[in-house]
Structure formats: structure tokens, C-alpha cells
Amino acid sequence: MNYNDNVTVAAEPYEFEFNLSQCALLIIDMQRDFLEPGGFGEILGNDVNQLRRTVSSNQKLLKQWREAGLKVIYTREGHRPDLSDLPLSKKIRGRHTVCVGDLGPMGRILVRGEPGHDIIPELYPLPGEAIIDKCGKSAFYATDLDAILRNYNIKQLIVTGVTTEVCVSSTVRDANDRGYECLVLEDCVGSYFPSFQVAALDMIKAQGGIFGWVAHSDKVINVLKLDCEN
């Protein structure tokens, strides 16, 4: 594979062209607390199957991306064990009986180092793949993600993960403001609410791609396979 190759995938609102050497796969918050039964997402009354439908697509994409030798970056939302980076407004919002930092079935909820905070086994990072621990919704807020991307000369992002309307959208909007081009893969991102999924993707690709592009993961996988064969 020639890492200086430019490849093009069919996308909305129009085709997305990216350079393999300057593009990273950004997998957002595919954590046990959000995707597994008994996690924080389910405790709040959500159907985790709405997010778990993205796992298979992410696995296929990740396998091909790794085989191509391209950069993979993960994010995890969570807080320090002493909760010093958890705003009170975030902890009490929603008036739930169980909050961030409380003990749940997989340890303290969204606390770094607890089992529920970790990436799901199906998509677990390999040694050397960067993991960005964030305390907010955007992967750029209070993290070193921007510095890492610039040091790797990354200018474009293939974005997957959960949830589409919250952490994915927040990250894509921040990335756009920082000059990065983002392609969001519709079958690799998920929301607990199907209507929010549709609305969030529509907003990203609206007005000629005001925040980025949207495509199916098959489009990316197919061009990677073709490039590997050449």
C-alpha cells in the first residue's frame, strides 16, 4: 500500500477524498458502561441494543484499517477517581437515583480504572493505539487529542462510536472548527434514540457538509481493500 495515496469514497453530501498517510480512525466512547447490559446507559433506562448494533460494523472496519497499517485512536469518557474533574452540574443533572461516581454493577460509574469505563472487548485497543481519556463530551475538550493529531500530521478523521448526537457530534463540530475534515460512518455510530441518530447525521451533512461527510462503512472498507491489492 502506498500511504501517500489519495482515495475517494462515495459519501453525502458529495464524495470524500482522503490521504491515507494523513487520516486516522477515531473510535469514540465504545465503553462497557454505555454498551453492555448493567452499565450506566441501561441503568438510565436506555436500550443498549441500539448501540450494540454498531459493534459488528466497527469490528469489520477496524480489522481492515489495522491491516492497512493506519492510525487508530480511541476515546473514553470518564473522570478521575476523586471526581475533581466532574462538575456538580453534570453529576446532578437529570435527577437520577444513580449518578457518575456512584457504585454500579461494573464498578464506579464512568470513573477511570473501573471495569465499566473500559472499551468493550470486541473493539479493544492494541498496544500502541492511543487512548484519549476525556471528562467532557468533545474529545478535544481538556485533552491532548489535538496535539497528538498534529504531531502525527493527521488532517482527516474517520469517525465512529457513540452516541451520535452527543459525543460524536460534539467531537466532529470541534474538529471542524480546528480545520480537520471528518467522515462519519452511519452504521458505525449509534444513539439510544433512532430519531436522534437520523437528525444528528442530517445536521453533519447539511448545507454542503457544514460539519463533515456521512457514508456507510462498506465504502471505506472497499477502497482500503482495493488499495491493498494494488
Side-chain angles (χ1 to χ4, degrees):
M1 174 178 287
N2 184 350
Y3 292 105
N4 292 317
D5 282 352
N6 285 338
V7 296
T8 302
V9 298
E12 294 181 274
Y14 52 89
E15 66 277 356
F16 181 76
E17 183 177 345
F18 61 100
N19 185 286
L20 295 173
S21 67
Q22 298 178 334
C23 189
L25 174 61
L26 183 62
I27 303 175
I28 296 176
D29 297 2
M30 295 294 279
Q31 296 164 249
R32 297 183 65 197
D33 252 333
F34 297 135
L35 283 98
E36 291 189 1
F40 191 39
E42 187 172 79
I43 289 172
L44 296 180
N46 298 303
D47 178 8
V48 296
N49 289 318
Q50 292 291 338
L51 303 192
R52 291 204 62 81
R53 65 166 186 79
T54 69
V55 174
S56 177
S57 295
N58 270 286
Q59 284 179 304
K60 294 174 185 176
L61 174 68
L62 182 58
K63 179 178 183 293
Q64 192 65 46
W65 198 265
R66 283 171 170 166
E67 287 180 359
L70 303 176
K71 189 67 64 180
V72 181
I73 300 174
Y74 290 82
T75 75
R76 297 183 297 201
E77 181 180 352
H79 297 274
R80 296 173 180 270
D82 64 2
L83 305 183
S84 58
D85 58 352
L86 174 63
L88 179 62
S89 59
K90 180 178 180 179
K91 182 173 177 61
I92 66 174
R93 186 172 298 139
R95 300 180 178 179
H96 301 297
T97 56
V98 179
C99 303
V100 174
D102 292 347
L103 188 63
M106 291 184 281
R108 295 176 67 204
I109 293 169
L110 293 185
V111 169
R112 296 173 188 173
E114 299 289 335
H117 174 259
D118 212 355
I119 306 297
I120 59 172
E122 297 95 325
L123 298 171
Y124 208 75
L126 295 178
E129 292 178 340
I131 303 173
I132 305 297
D133 280 318
K134 62 190 183 68
C135 60
K137 305 308 181 190
S138 169
F140 289 93
Y141 172 71
T143 75
D144 53 3
L145 176 59
D146 189 52
I148 289 172
L149 294 176
R150 295 189 187 282
N151 287 338
Y152 283 139
N153 196 32
I154 298 297
K155 298 180 179 179
Q156 297 169 301
L157 299 170
I158 306 296
V159 183
T160 76
V162 298
T163 62
T164 313
E165 76 279 10
V166 184
C167 294
V168 172
S169 288
S170 295
T171 298
V172 168
R173 290 179 183 219
D174 265 6
N176 176 72
D177 285 345
R178 287 168 168 79
Y180 298 101
E181 293 183 325
C182 295
L183 173 64
V184 180
L185 301 183
E186 59 191 350
D187 58 315
C188 292
V189 295
S191 170
Y192 296 120
F193 309 99
S195 61
F196 290 4
Q197 168 86 356
V198 174
L201 293 174
D202 282 347
M203 286 185 219
I204 289 169
K205 64 187 179 184
Q207 301 181 68
I210 190 168
F211 297 120
W213 289 256
V214 175
H216 194 280
S217 65
D218 284 349
K219 306 297 184 183
V220 175
I221 291 171
N222 289 340
V223 297
L224 290 177
K225 286 180 177 178
L226 285 173
D227 206 73
C228 283
E229 293 170 358
N230 294 335

